[in-house]
Amino acid sequence: MKRESYDVTGMSCAACSARVEKSVAALPGVEEVAVNLLKNSMTVSYDEGALSSADVVAAVVKAGYGASLRGGAGERREARGPAQDVALQEYLGLRTRLVASLVFALPLSYLSMGRMMGWPMPSCFLGVENALVFALTLLLLALPVAFINFKFFRVGFGALAHGSPNMDSLIALGSSAALVYGVYAIYRMAWAAGHGDVATVAHFSMDLYIESAGMILTLITLGKFFEARAKRRTSDAITRLMDLAPRTAVVERDGAEVEIPIEELERGEIAVVKSGQAIPADGVLTEGAAAVDESAITGESIPVDKVPGDRLVGATTVRGGWLKMRVTGVGEETTLARMGRLLTEAQTGKAPVQRLADKVSAVFVPAVIAIAAIAFATRLALGNPLEMALASAITVLVVACPCALGLATPTALLVGSGRASRLGILIKGPETLESAHGVQTIVLDKTGTLTTGTMAVSAVRPAEGVGERELLAAAAGVERGSEHPIAKAIVALAHERGIEPKAVESVAARAGNGVEGILDGRRIAAGTARWLAEEGVEGASGLGGEPGASVVGVALEGSLLGAFDIRDAVRPESAAAVAELKSLGLHPVLATGDNEAAASAVAAEVGIDDVRAGILPEGKVGIVEELRVAGQKVAMVGDGVNDAAALAGADLSIAMGSGADVAKEAADITVVSSDIRSVGAAIRISAQTLRIIKENLAWAFGYNVVAIPVAVAGFIVPGI
């Protein structure tokens, strides 16, 4: 079974995506097809013995849309390629169309409404004697709007020709009918003026419909612009993820170290990575030792000490030491690429919101066209003139044009987003609002979400006869030159308390163990209890610590000076935030790449009973999927690259503002302030905004339900 991704063009609503999906699903050998309207993409799984990609493209084209197979050069190239450019071009194009349309639509609206409302207007547009000037001016203002938004006509009439009318079809029919009738009315006015028929001139000057065409097109373009802006924000997630990978690698070739482009790196090669550099690909450490920051992949806040034989992951960073590695995975084989695929599949598989206006478009549009035709035919059957029969049909089409339907969602979204933004909450798009409704379980990342993501000393435990200041000064002296987060935490505490670190000479790191140096001619060491015990420090083996904390012991010339408990500090607001989520009826789950002890300690402190520790990115995705399969509607809160795929796969995803860009791009909601208490507020605002959208759509449809019969009756019933 082959699985391929395609770019699809020409889709404008759920009726379009449904037609594309139906057309491809009907092909023999197709097992699964998923069309993503938001991303203009399609994923197809099919039997390559019965079908080819050309057949899939042909089916989409036959349905009236465009399709092209995405290049097979890998997720990384795809992420940086056309997908992002298409979203940006669509956004910029719609912005230009909207601005240009408003230049003509605003004076058009003022002239048409001003005459009826008595607003100040030039005298050349007033009175029956100036009716032709008024009408021709409206036409000259409306025609540029129609030209600027010609895409509605091309797509709408194209869909109509293929037997799949959509909202664009109704927009095209309504605005075209209004323009055609307006031109007809101008000719009738000109003829009547030449024959002295003032009554006919006055009648048609108030019955032009020209302004309706211009305003319909402008208002719908405004709605499309809001949609394109939301769509553009979703296109950068995979790009940012893949940008974590280094562009070059240093490898050993012919006995020398050579820097090569990352694309030329091959499996089996020996790569050299020094402190501060990113590991170029997945591999196994063969020589040297180093502390590796894997937070981008696992979320683990403390760099992991690596020794020969340990597995290395591409895009992680060496924070101390150096290493040689044998490359075991490049390109599509790396953990980073796999995360990119997970993110892509999760986004593709999560269907965008099927707005109520789009859901019924397959019935609504043909029904309106049929009603207009019936009105036209009935009028003729009653013996009325062709002119009035045409006006009857046009009235129905213009009244039914979905201006309110197109604006109901984006307008409410803007209001809701504005309210949320004042609270430091950014809502990505309308699908977020529907996702927030009915969430039952919320999965919380630990590092950077419930905790600060920064190591801090939680306890200073000097040995008997040793003062805290003495212990801190000695420890800060030996740790001062280290880049390790634990060392930085000790030095930071000394600085905070105004303690000057002691002068330590000949400082050397001991990978996986700690650091040592010479203080006043005596050996000082700071590191793990295991290492100090191996070095013969009495009492080191018995060093305990707070649950989930890393313990660093300090010894001078074999005598224990004391120890520090260091941990990723829990945010002060986390416990209150979890309590609020519970009050909203949500079941919190803690999922983290950290070890069991650290995870359990944080969970106990904030009030979470369900803990999943030692979880890799694939595991977080699995947890979300497991809960969804169990019938739960799942929200995911995270901040790291390792959370991106799980965020994309959840029903509702929330990223903390202090986290990685890729997490924020993949999430439906971003909490700018990083205050986790805003998560509860975001869910409440989303639910309230969704309720408003539904009310707006109800009013919009209610208008059509009432207005269309009135429009028909106004022309059909004799005497009205």
Side-chain angles (χ1 to χ4, degrees):
M1 196 63 62
K2 192 172 185 179
R3 184 178 178 86
E4 293 178 330
S5 295
Y6 297 78
D7 290 313
V8 182
T9 59
M11 297 189 298
S12 61
C13 65
C16 300
S17 60
R19 179 167 176 79
V20 171
E21 191 167 304
K22 184 178 180 181
S23 300
V24 175
L27 294 173
V30 172
E31 181 181 275
E32 181 183 4
V33 55
V35 178
N36 191 312
L37 176 62
L38 185 65
K39 296 176 67 180
N40 291 322
S41 66
M42 175 178 66
T43 302
V44 184
S45 297
Y46 64 89
D47 181 0
E48 54 188 327
L51 202 63
S52 69
S53 56
D55 296 325
V56 174
V57 171
V60 176
V61 172
K62 186 177 180 180
Y65 305 89
S68 60
L69 178 65
R70 289 186 175 177
E75 295 294 332
R76 179 172 178 172
R77 180 176 297 177
E78 175 187 324
R80 295 192 177 113
Q84 182 186 19
D85 294 339
V86 168
L88 178 59
Q89 289 171 7
E90 181 182 6
Y91 168 77
L92 294 176
L94 276 166
R95 186 178 68 180
T96 301
R97 279 171 52 190
L98 177 61
V99 172
S101 297
L102 288 172
V103 168
F104 297 97
L106 291 177
L108 174 66
S109 175
Y110 185 88
L111 283 178
S112 58
M113 294 295 294
R115 194 179 186 196
M116 293 184 291
M117 303 297 293
W119 296 342
M121 291 179 63
S123 59
C124 62
F125 297 123
L126 301 175
V128 177
E129 65 276 12
N130 294 316
L132 272 175
V133 174
F134 172 75
L136 287 171
T137 302
L138 293 186
L139 181 63
L140 290 176
L141 288 171
L143 286 177
V145 178
F147 178 77
I148 291 165
N149 296 285
F150 185 75
K151 183 178 179 180
F152 287 125
F153 298 94
R154 178 171 52 82
V155 175
F157 285 125
L160 195 62
H162 284 88
S164 56
N166 55 20
M167 284 298 182
D168 283 350
S169 301
L170 195 54
I171 294 166
L173 282 171
S175 52
S176 295
L179 286 172
V180 169
Y181 184 83
V183 171
Y184 168 77
I186 290 174
Y187 271 96
R188 285 298 306 271
M189 290 167 64
W191 184 88
H195 291 76
D197 187 352
V198 176
T200 298
V201 173
H203 168 73
F204 278 103
S205 69
M206 300 299 293
D207 193 24
L208 289 169
Y209 289 107
I210 293 174
E211 70 283 355
S212 299
M215 295 312 299
I216 285 169
L217 294 170
T218 302
L219 290 173
I220 296 299
T221 299
L222 178 62
K224 296 285 186 181
F225 168 75
F226 291 152
E227 293 175 5
R229 187 173 63 176
K231 184 185 296 185
R232 177 196 171 197
R233 292 173 180 171
T234 68
S235 66
D236 293 336
I238 300 174
T239 300
R240 294 186 182 277
L241 176 63
M242 303 315 295
D243 280 344
L244 290 172
R247 299 289 185 270
T248 62
V250 177
V251 298
E252 288 187 344
R253 289 184 178 177
D254 299 326
E257 294 183 2
V258 182
E259 186 173 2
I260 62 172
I262 197 68
E263 291 80 9
E264 297 179 9
L265 187 63
E266 298 178 0
R267 276 195 299 173
E269 286 198 282
I270 299 298
V272 180
V273 189
K274 299 176 182 178
S275 181
Q277 294 180 338
I279 294 174
D282 290 1
V284 176
L285 195 153
T286 59
E287 184 180 343
V292 179
D293 181 358
E294 295 185 333
S295 59
I297 302 298
T298 67
E300 174 68 59
S301 55
I302 303 175
V304 179
D305 294 312
K306 299 288 186 178
V307 296
D310 285 348
R311 174 176 173 267
L312 300 173
V313 179
T316 57
T317 305
V318 174
R319 293 301 182 194
W322 71 278
L323 56 84
K324 288 185 180 181
M325 60 176 286
R326 185 179 71 257
V327 177
T328 59
V330 296
E332 297 297 297
E333 305 164 341
T334 64
T335 300
L336 192 66
R338 186 166 67 252
M339 290 174 65
R341 287 194 297 273
L342 283 171
L343 181 55
T344 300
E345 291 170 5
Q347 286 187 336
T348 301
K350 183 170 67 175
V353 165
Q354 302 296 301
R355 293 177 182 163
L356 188 54
D358 289 337
K359 284 181 177 179
V360 301
S361 62
V363 176
F364 179 72
V365 176
V368 169
I369 295 173
I371 292 171
I374 291 171
F376 178 80
T378 304
R379 185 61 176 161
L380 289 179
L382 291 174
N384 292 298
L386 176 64
E387 170 188 300
M388 298 194 72
L390 183 62
S392 175
I394 290 174
T395 301
V396 172
L397 291 174
V398 171
V399 163
C401 265
C403 299
L405 300 182
L407 290 173
T409 293
T411 301
L413 176 62
L414 282 183
V415 174
S417 297
R419 179 185 171 194
S421 65
R422 289 191 292 273
L423 299 176
I425 302 166
L426 300 181
I427 299 176
K428 179 177 287 186
E431 60 273 12
T432 300
L433 307 172
E434 191 168 71
S435 300
H437 181 66
V439 168
Q440 299 161 298
T441 299
I442 184 162
V443 180
L444 300 162
D445 175 50
K446 181 184 76 68
T447 306
T449 301
L450 293 172
T451 67
T452 62
T454 303
M455 303 305 294
V457 177
S458 58
V460 181
R461 297 184 284 127
E464 187 176 349
V466 179
E468 277 195 13
R469 294 184 67 84
E470 180 185 353
L471 174 60
L472 258 174
V478 73
E479 296 278 21
R480 183 163 46 180
S482 175
E483 290 296 317
H484 200 288
I486 286 180
K488 289 182 176 181
I490 293 174
V491 174
L493 180 61
H495 178 74
E496 179 184 322
R497 295 189 179 182
I499 297 173
E500 182 67 26
K502 291 187 177 181
V504 179
E505 302 173 346
S506 304
V507 176
R510 297 292 178 257
N513 296 315
V515 293
E516 62 180 357
I518 303 299
L519 173 60
D520 297 330
R522 294 180 293 176
R523 178 176 178 265
I524 183 172
T528 65
R530 174 189 53 77
W531 177 52
L532 294 180
E534 290 174 354
E535 294 294 311
V537 177
E538 186 177 350
S541 59
L543 285 176
E546 297 176 347
S550 296
V551 178
V552 176
V554 183
L556 182 62
E557 202 62 37
S559 297
L560 189 66
L561 293 179
F564 298 89
D565 292 344
I566 300 173
R567 58 186 298 186
D568 184 3
V570 174
R571 294 183 186 275
E573 69 274 11
S574 292
V578 171
E580 182 182 8
L581 293 174
K582 288 181 177 180
S583 71
L584 292 172
L586 302 179
H587 171 67
V589 177
L590 177 61
T592 177
D594 273 0
N595 59 72
E596 183 74 35
S600 297
V602 170
E605 189 170 341
V606 301
I608 296 177
D609 300 321
D610 194 345
V611 181
R612 317 287 178 91
I615 303 298
L616 292 175
E618 296 92 334
K620 289 188 179 181
V621 175
I623 289 172
V624 170
E625 186 60 29
E626 172 193 332
L627 292 168
R628 294 183 69 190
V629 169
Q632 296 288 300
K633 195 163 187 180
V634 183
M636 171 73 193
V637 183
D639 76 319
V641 174
N642 59 302
D643 301 319
L647 287 168
D651 294 298
L652 176 70
S653 51
I654 304 173
M656 307 307 290
S658 60
D661 286 342
V662 63
K664 288 181 279 188
E665 292 292 345
D668 300 316
I669 296 174
T670 298
V671 177
V672 177
S673 65
S674 294
D675 187 339
I676 193 172
R677 288 175 296 186
S678 297
V679 171
I683 293 175
R684 285 197 304 272
I685 290 173
S686 296
Q688 291 168 357
T689 307
L690 178 62
R691 175 178 55 80
I692 292 171
I693 284 177
K694 289 182 176 179
E695 291 174 356
N696 287 350
L697 291 174
W699 279 103
F701 277 113
Y703 160 78
N704 280 283
V705 168
V706 174
I708 291 176
V710 170
V712 173
F715 283 99
I716 293 177
V717 179
I720 296 181

